[in-house]
Amino acid sequence: MESGIPRDEERVMLTHSAWSGIAEIARREFNDRLKAAKMLTSRWHSGANLVDRLLGKELCVLAWAAEAANDDQLAVICSKWAALRPEERWWLFSMTVAEAGLPDDTQRGWRRALFFALSDGEKPTDQRKRRRPTDTDIFSLPLFSSAPGGTRP
């Protein structure tokens, strides 16, 4: 802080294609939270975009995971990031920035781990929800089968 004003810190540099791949999910996620709080929604534009400190932390987690990703991995990263709760994203930010939070630290520690954790998986399908697998009848499991003497427990 300088004179009570927080100083700007550069945390991540993204290519235009990486930003294009994550900008929509971040905008949608943040605007949904603004709507839930009955506040006006926003949009990204060229130049400076001011965001709340906590939203900035969440955006850093998404950007760190996306900085070394290809187009196929970006969809997986966005899907997994969106599935995290804000508190989980804040924790991931704290862990990452403590060790590798500067722009030159792209392949170190937690920052590298974020890429692997959020990019590991398959591209999301067009379906919004996955169908839950059908449950087998729990009473047909071996635990409830006939006892060795031909009698049931």
Side-chain angles (χ1 to χ4, degrees):
M1 288 202 149
E2 297 170 7
S3 302
I5 300 171
R7 63 186 165 99
D8 292 339
E9 287 187 274
E10 197 172 282
R11 297 281 186 188
V12 62
M13 297 271 299
L14 290 178
T15 63
H16 182 71
S17 62
W19 174 249
S20 297
I22 67 169
E24 178 59 26
I25 190 71
R27 184 195 61 77
R28 190 176 336 135
E29 173 78 16
F30 295 161
N31 279 340
D32 287 348
R33 294 202 350 231
L34 288 171
K35 284 179 190 174
K38 297 184 175 152
M39 297 176 72
L40 293 175
T41 59
S42 185
R43 64 182 181 92
W44 305 119
H45 57 275
S46 296
N49 290 280
L50 300 177
V51 295
D52 179 74
R53 181 179 56 85
L54 293 175
L55 296 180
K57 288 181 175 188
E58 295 176 53
L59 187 56
C60 275
V61 170
L62 177 59
W64 284 330
E67 65 189 341
N70 62 38
D71 291 339
D72 292 334
Q73 293 168 323
L74 286 175
V76 176
I77 289 168
C78 288
S79 174
K80 287 189 170 188
W81 178 84
L84 294 171
R85 293 185 9 229
E87 298 84 8
E88 294 168 326
R89 296 177 196 152
W90 301 335
W91 183 84
L92 285 170
F93 175 85
S94 297
M95 297 305 292
T96 305
V97 80
E99 181 182 335
L102 299 174
D104 297 337
D105 296 336
T106 59
Q107 297 298 313
R108 292 189 51 223
W110 278 88
R111 191 137 158 201
R112 186 176 170 117
L114 275 176
F115 166 74
F116 287 117
L118 295 182
S119 68
D120 185 33
E122 295 181 17
K123 195 172 185 176
T125 60
D126 290 336
Q127 299 175 0
R128 288 267 177 191
K129 284 188 173 182
R130 281 203 228 151
R131 288 193 169 204
R132 189 174 189 172
T134 56
D135 291 334
T136 57
D137 182 15
I138 63 169
F139 294 107
S140 66
L141 296 174
L143 177 67
F144 296 107
S145 64
S146 298
T151 60
R152 291 187 68 121

